[in-house]
Amino acid sequence: MSALREIGVVVIGLGIAGRVRVRDLKEKTCGLRLKGVVSRREVDLDGVPSYTMEEALSRSDVDALIISTEPCLHEDYVRRGLENGKHVLVEYPVALSSDTAKQLYQLADEKGLILHEENIALLTEGHLLVKNKAEKSQLKSGKYTIAGSYNGWLEDFDKSGLPFVTGISSIQSVLSLFGDAKVIGGKLDQAENSYTAHADLEAQGKPMSITLSRFKSNEMGRQKRTIYEFEDGEVLDSDKLEQKMSKPGLFMRDMENFYAAILAGKIPEEQKKISIHSLEIAEKIHSFF
């Protein structure tokens, strides 16, 4: 049995997702090997070196970056990583505009590097069950809602992008399930301590709505619900779909997909298409605001 090809990785950003990445990488379940972290916070991770961005980019033992920062930093970090010969895994959105996303994917192709955008929502048991159903029956209607608290940058559109950019996962889920979506309209309601963004779409020619709400509250957790009704009469409600907590976890599975893409020398074309087209759809929704 041949040994795993080892890919040295630095994690940039130590929020919740970044720390989960560090934890999972320490388990060494695939060929990714944690070489260090880059963080504005003071780092206290046993045995994990802390670097500046410049140090991480210059190290010969670092082959890849995992970017877990607020979206406004994604373009700069992705571009610098690619220009310095590093593969890149970045939390969604890959960039704040579709034009920038196209440029970054083109740069990755020119450099022969992997640019992989995370979206663990597409790996969940519930999503896969709906996807299996959508391959067998036509959609009649769909409703996607998500609500949660402010976190310091989600409510700051300069840092996060407008709501359907920072919430691009919702659009990517629709594209993954139904192939495409047409924008019918959009609306943004803002109050002093909250906002609600709404989009009316058509998927497979049928009505689909997405509502994203955020509130200034320390007590409110993230709440998500999707309801899909199909032409054969079956209704799939995310609250009733089985959600299995299995190992490896979703972030680890995402990193395994990143590692597999590095070995293959390319990402699936559908993945790139969804990444770019979802931003184009978000921009159309925002044009109604």
Side-chain angles (χ1 to χ4, degrees), residues 78-79 81-87 99-115 265-267 272:
V78 170
R79 193 180 299 278
L82 295 173
E83 288 175 344
N84 283 273
K86 313 299 185 186
H87 302 289
D99 284 345
T100 300
K102 291 174 187 176
Q103 293 170 12
L104 294 176
Y105 280 112
Q106 182 177 351
L107 178 60
D109 289 343
E110 291 171 354
K111 296 284 188 178
L113 296 166
I114 297 303
L115 173 54
K266 61 181 180 180
I267 63 171
K272 185 190 300 186

Side-chain angles (χ1 to χ4, degrees), residues 3-254:
L4 286 174
R5 174 185 166 191
E6 293 194 355
I7 303 295
V9 176
V10 163
V11 175
I12 301 173
L14 290 179
I16 295 174
R19 286 184 175 272
V20 172
R21 300 280 190 187
V22 169
R23 180 202 68 193
D24 287 352
L25 284 166
K26 284 184 171 183
E27 296 184 5
K28 299 182 179 180
T29 58
C30 71
L32 301 179
R33 292 292 179 265
L34 181 63
K35 298 298 181 179
V37 298
V38 174
S39 177
R40 291 167 298 184
R41 298 181 175 91
E42 191 170 326
V43 176
D44 183 21
L45 296 170
D46 186 35
V48 180
S50 177
Y51 301 122
T52 65
M53 184 67 172
E54 290 71 24
E55 288 170 337
L57 291 173
S58 65
R59 291 187 65 89
S60 60
D61 61 344
V62 174
D63 308 294
L65 307 178
I66 295 179
I67 300 170
S68 299
T69 66
E70 55 265 45
C72 65
L73 299 176
H74 289 184
E75 177 186 352
D76 180 48
Y77 287 173
V78 170
R79 193 180 299 278
R80 290 171 69 186
L82 295 173
E83 288 175 344
N84 283 273
K86 313 299 185 186
H87 302 289
V88 176
L89 184 162
V90 60
E91 307 288 339
Y92 69 80
V94 67
L96 297 185
S97 74
S98 60
D99 284 345
T100 300
K102 291 174 187 176
Q103 293 170 12
L104 294 176
Y105 280 112
Q106 182 177 351
L107 178 60
D109 289 343
E110 291 171 354
K111 296 284 188 178
L113 296 166
I114 297 303
L115 173 54
H116 171 95
E117 180 188 31
E118 168 270 329
N119 188 348
I120 59 173
L122 304 186
L123 304 177
T124 64
E125 181 79 6
H127 179 83
L128 296 176
L129 286 171
V130 177
K131 189 172 180 66
N132 181 62
K133 176 65 180 181
E135 291 171 354
K136 300 173 182 177
S137 181
Q138 287 290 109
L139 180 71
K140 185 175 181 181
S141 67
K143 186 176 183 180
Y144 183 114
T145 60
I146 187 167
S149 301
Y150 287 171
N151 69 354
W153 55 262
L154 273 169
E155 64 274 23
D156 184 340
F157 295 156
D158 289 333
K159 288 185 177 181
S160 67
L162 287 170
F164 282 96
V165 169
T166 193
I168 202 73
S169 176
S170 59
I171 300 173
Q172 292 187 355
S173 293
V174 172
L175 296 183
S176 172
L177 292 172
F178 307 111
D180 203 355
K182 178 181 178 182
V183 179
I184 305 302
K187 184 180 180 182
L188 175 64
D189 292 320
Q190 291 180 279
E192 183 178 354
N193 294 316
S194 67
Y195 74 77
T196 296
H198 181 82
D200 289 311
L201 310 173
E202 284 185 357
Q204 298 182 339
K206 301 301 171 62
M208 163 73 64
S209 69
I210 303 177
T211 303
L212 311 175
S213 300
R214 292 287 175 176
F215 305 89
K216 187 175 181 180
S217 169
N218 294 326
E219 300 177 359
M220 183 175 184
R222 186 172 179 272
Q223 300 172 5
K224 174 184 171 183
R225 191 174 186 190
T226 57
I227 301 175
Y228 298 107
E229 183 179 1
F230 290 88
E231 291 287 359
D232 64 4
E234 186 172 5
V235 177
L236 295 181
D237 184 333
S238 61
D239 282 354
K240 299 176 182 177
L241 294 175
E242 183 179 8
Q243 300 287 336
K244 294 180 180 178
M245 297 298 292
S246 59
K247 285 194 173 184
L250 294 175
F251 281 109
M252 190 66 242
R253 273 184 264 172
D254 179 57

